[in-house]
Amino acid sequence: MNTKTIVITRPVGQARHLIELLGAALSKHVTPQSPQILSLPLLTIIPKTDDQLSNQVFSAMQDADLAIFVSPNAIECTLRLIECAWQDLAQQIVPIGVMGGSSALALRHHGIGSEETPTPILIPEQNAQWDSEGLWQELQSLAWDWSSKKVVIFKGEGGRDWLAETLEAAGATVEAISVYSRIPLAIDNPAWLPIHEMKFDESLWIFTSSEAVRYLGNVIEDQFRQSLSDANALCPHDNIADAARAAGFSKVMMSEPGDEALIRASIAWLAS
């Protein structure tokens, strides 16, 4: 198979969205060849649905000063849990912090931030800072006395705890609520079959999750790891890039965060 291949490693729903955006962008650009685009959902997002967790969310938000969603998945799973409008969750309007454009878009899809009295949305101004560190810089502009503030963080099981630890070190009371779990892609799943048939040195793997890359590094066999050393990895964050190198990728490309930046970098790779 001589066609260049782009491997999308996001969960199915997010992968489909990125594939559609990439296909639309490719139709507007002249590239030496049309790539094969494969979906390899290394992790599947499973929302939590139990009533006890729903009650925990309602209870935590009653005296919250700030809510933080670590990802679009956290937004979707939390709103599914509460089954009410965001501003009906607490007696006062609780501002929301997010780390990137995809999360901001997810909020807009649910009408959050465009209410009659809009919910304040805090997001790093520059997409090059769409991460935990960037959001923390944005939060510092509030000039809050964190010792008097409670922050509720909605996240998945596991994941990075840097922001929670930073907020606690600043004096804030932090309650982290896991609203979804991640299920790894089984090694006998048919989604792996086209991966083994492609030319690895003509492949670009798009990663947007350190945990997904680490899972890949843990399950691959030695022969597959050698193939990965010939492949290209595209990562929007240093932590993800470090995980890709640890998994076996020797050619790691960086892009700014956000789908548009990933697509631009993918098209540049196709044209190279």
Side-chain angles (χ1 to χ4, degrees):
M1 187 180 297
N2 295 322
T3 303
K4 283 190 172 183
T5 302
I6 297 178
V7 182
I8 310 294
T9 61
R10 283 177 169 175
V12 173
Q14 297 173 35
R16 185 181 304 114
H17 179 66
L18 181 57
I19 289 171
E20 290 173 353
L21 293 177
L22 181 57
L26 287 171
S27 68
K28 301 176 183 178
H29 291 79
V30 177
T31 56
Q33 57 182 319
S34 297
Q36 173 184 223
I37 302 177
L38 299 178
S39 176
L40 185 71
L42 293 172
L43 300 174
T44 296
I45 303 300
I46 306 297
K48 296 184 178 181
T49 58
D50 60 277
D51 291 339
Q52 183 176 355
L53 182 60
S54 178
N55 292 335
Q56 182 184 356
V57 172
F58 275 94
S59 176
M61 290 301 298
Q62 294 310 301
D63 58 349
D65 298 290
L66 174 69
I68 292 176
F69 293 100
V70 304
S71 67
N73 290 320
I75 294 170
E76 300 299 335
C77 294
T78 300
L79 296 180
R80 180 182 301 190
L81 269 174
I82 64 174
E83 296 184 335
C84 69
W86 175 255
Q87 291 192 354
D88 294 339
L89 187 58
Q91 296 180 359
Q92 71 283 347
I93 296 176
V94 180
I96 294 173
V98 295
M99 300 174 190
S102 295
S103 293
L105 182 61
L107 292 176
R108 288 199 295 271
H109 282 166
H110 289 280
I112 299 175
S114 58
E115 306 95 339
E116 183 176 350
T117 303
T119 298
I121 308 297
L122 303 166
I123 181 174
E125 290 187 6
Q126 304 297 324
N127 63 352
Q129 296 178 310
W130 281 355
D131 55 19
S132 297
E133 290 83 353
L135 178 57
W136 172 237
Q137 289 184 15
E138 185 68 24
L139 294 179
Q140 290 183 86
S141 68
L142 297 172
W144 281 0
D145 175 7
W146 290 103
S147 65
S148 65
K149 302 298 182 181
K150 177 182 176 180
V151 182
V152 181
I153 299 179
F154 295 101
K155 59 190 288 293
E157 287 183 351
R160 191 169 177 233
D161 294 324
W162 182 89
L163 185 56
E165 293 170 354
T166 300
L167 284 162
E168 288 175 337
T173 298
V174 178
E175 183 169 353
I177 301 178
S178 297
V179 293
Y180 62 90
S181 56
R182 304 174 182 89
I183 305 300
L185 183 68
I187 58 174
D188 59 352
N189 190 291
W192 291 102
L193 294 177
I195 299 296
H196 290 281
E197 296 172 357
M198 71 183 187
K199 290 188 64 177
F200 278 78
D201 61 349
E202 292 292 318
S203 69
L204 177 69
W205 295 58
I206 298 179
F207 295 111
T208 54
S209 163
S210 297
E211 188 167 350
V213 188
R214 285 193 290 269
Y215 169 66
L216 177 66
N218 289 336
V219 299
I220 57 176
E221 300 174 351
D222 290 342
Q223 183 178 359
F224 190 11
R225 190 183 302 276
Q226 181 58 45
S227 297
L228 285 185
S229 70
D230 297 327
N232 303 271
L234 176 59
C235 307
H237 195 280
D238 288 339
N239 292 336
I240 303 175
D242 291 342
R245 295 185 185 96
F249 289 88
S250 58
K251 293 181 283 187
V252 178
M253 302 163 49
M254 297 293 299
S255 79
E256 292 185 347
D259 288 351
E260 291 184 1
L262 291 171
I263 289 170
R264 287 196 299 271
S266 299
I267 291 174
W269 173 77
L270 286 169
S272 63

